[in-house]
Amino acid sequence: MTVLLDGKKLATTVRSKLKERTAALRAKGIIPRLVVIMVGDNSASAVYVRNKKRAATEVGIEAVDLHLPVTTSQDELLALIDQYNQDPKVHGILVQLPLPQQIDEKVVTQAISPLKDVDGFHPVNVGQLFMGTPQALPCTPRGIMELLAAYDIEVAGKNVVIMGRSNIVGRPMAALMVNHDATVTITHSKTQNLAAITRQADILVVAIGRGEFVTKDFVKPGAVVVDVGMNHNAEGKLVGDVKRDDMLDHASYLTPVPGGVGPMTIAMLMQQTVEFAERS
């Protein structure tokens, strides 16, 4: 039987423990504070921001939710980020992506102080991750590692194949796996003989943004399959990058969509905010 990795359940446990940590901080007069900035009216972004704010409130983090008009200039956004960089009462800053076309995402990412970069995307934090001395981690890869650990899935010595090379998931996921002594292969849209490579994986992490693309032909029997995808099929149903029915009784473990990686991403965002507050 394929075991489903219950990210929703684990995220609930993480948030429960964070409540105790935020209570201890508040007893010392420190209120963990996360600033979430959204520019424009992207409907998906609005949902993500709402979920993040709800999770923050639940665990005792004060969420400052700023919704800026789509006409906001890059200089205006950078000035706002600098203001919160200088504010000692703010422990985490997050700018929700995507941004309007007049704003350069790379410039904005680099403008956030590495000490308040709860997304873990700043080049300084990325560099520390790849050097094996991470200070802040991208939340999705971190959530995946926590989920594997919760189910006692050993990473050291395993062949890990990652489908996708984004800066948000694929590349930092590879670094985290290497830091945990795995042997890692990254595949992408230009990879030849893709299925032959993915079938070598003991652990397959799929983050390509193509609904139900990965079938059992890509996966060796008994492999652990981590599905990072969130897509809507023709019927409007939320599906992952992996064809779930193909994995049942084929993979040893599988993250479901929804309820797998997604809840852990937000839980790690909350945990990282609390850690930043504790360091302060």
Side-chain angles (χ1 to χ4, degrees):
M1 287 287 291
T2 300
V3 175
L4 297 181
L5 302 178
D6 193 340
K8 187 175 181 180
K9 181 179 179 181
L10 179 58
T12 299
T13 301
V14 171
R15 292 196 303 272
S16 178
K17 293 178 180 178
L18 288 177
K19 288 180 187 178
E20 299 175 6
R21 292 166 68 176
T22 58
L25 284 167
R26 285 172 175 266
K28 298 176 183 177
I30 300 170
I31 300 174
R33 190 170 280 109
L34 171 66
V35 173
V36 181
I37 303 172
M38 175 178 160
V39 185
D41 299 302
N42 183 291
S43 58
S45 292
V47 172
Y48 293 144
V49 168
R50 190 162 56 246
N51 289 341
K52 290 168 184 175
K53 186 174 182 179
R54 184 185 299 122
T57 301
E58 179 189 342
V59 303
I61 295 170
E62 182 178 300
V64 180
D65 182 9
L66 299 176
H67 187 182
L68 307 180
V70 70
T71 54
T72 301
S73 71
Q74 180 168 296
D75 286 344
E76 288 172 328
L77 179 56
L78 293 177
L80 190 61
I81 291 170
D82 184 60
Q83 173 188 327
Y84 288 115
N85 279 340
Q86 305 302 323
D87 188 344
K89 293 183 179 179
V90 170
H91 305 103
I93 302 171
L94 182 155
V95 177
Q96 184 67 44
L97 304 179
L99 292 167
Q101 60 182 7
Q102 75 271 17
I103 300 176
D104 188 328
E105 291 183 2
K106 290 182 180 179
V107 173
V108 170
T109 298
Q110 294 180 26
I112 298 171
S113 167
L115 301 176
K116 299 187 178 186
D117 170 34
V118 286
D119 265 332
F121 295 158
H122 192 284
V124 168
N125 287 327
V126 173
Q128 289 176 321
L129 167 60
F130 275 83
M131 291 176 67
T133 56
Q135 299 298 312
L137 296 170
C139 296
T140 297
R142 182 177 185 178
I144 291 169
M145 298 303 290
E146 292 282 348
L147 197 48
L148 295 176
Y151 283 82
D152 296 320
I153 297 171
E154 184 60 66
V155 169
K158 298 294 179 63
N159 287 326
V160 176
V161 176
I162 299 167
M163 297 179 69
R165 53 179 170 179
S166 74
N167 292 330
I168 296 174
V169 180
R171 295 171 195 251
M173 187 82 257
L176 263 175
M177 287 291 186
V178 169
N179 290 350
H180 285 77
D181 300 318
T183 300
V184 180
T185 302
I186 299 179
T187 67
H188 45 78
S189 58
K190 298 293 190 293
T191 300
Q192 298 182 11
N193 303 317
L194 179 60
I197 295 172
T198 60
R199 280 197 299 268
Q200 298 175 34
D202 301 312
I203 302 173
L204 178 63
V205 181
V206 188
I208 56 174
R210 297 180 64 181
E212 300 184 315
F213 176 81
V214 173
T215 63
K216 66 168 58 176
D217 294 334
F218 288 82
V219 181
K220 77 174 181 181
V224 176
V225 179
V226 178
D227 188 354
V228 185
M230 292 187 71
N231 317 276
H232 287 92
N233 62 15
E235 291 76 41
K237 181 183 177 183
L238 184 64
V239 297
D241 291 345
V242 177
K243 193 169 183 179
R244 174 170 170 162
D245 289 349
D246 266 22
M247 295 304 117
L248 300 179
D249 297 326
H250 182 75
S252 58
Y253 294 88
L254 172 68
T255 58
V257 177
V261 174
M264 288 303 299
T265 297
I266 294 179
M268 292 300 100
L269 177 66
M270 298 305 118
Q271 182 161 310
Q272 204 141 255
T273 301
V274 172
E275 288 170 351
F276 285 4
E278 289 171 337
R279 290 175 195 170
S280 74

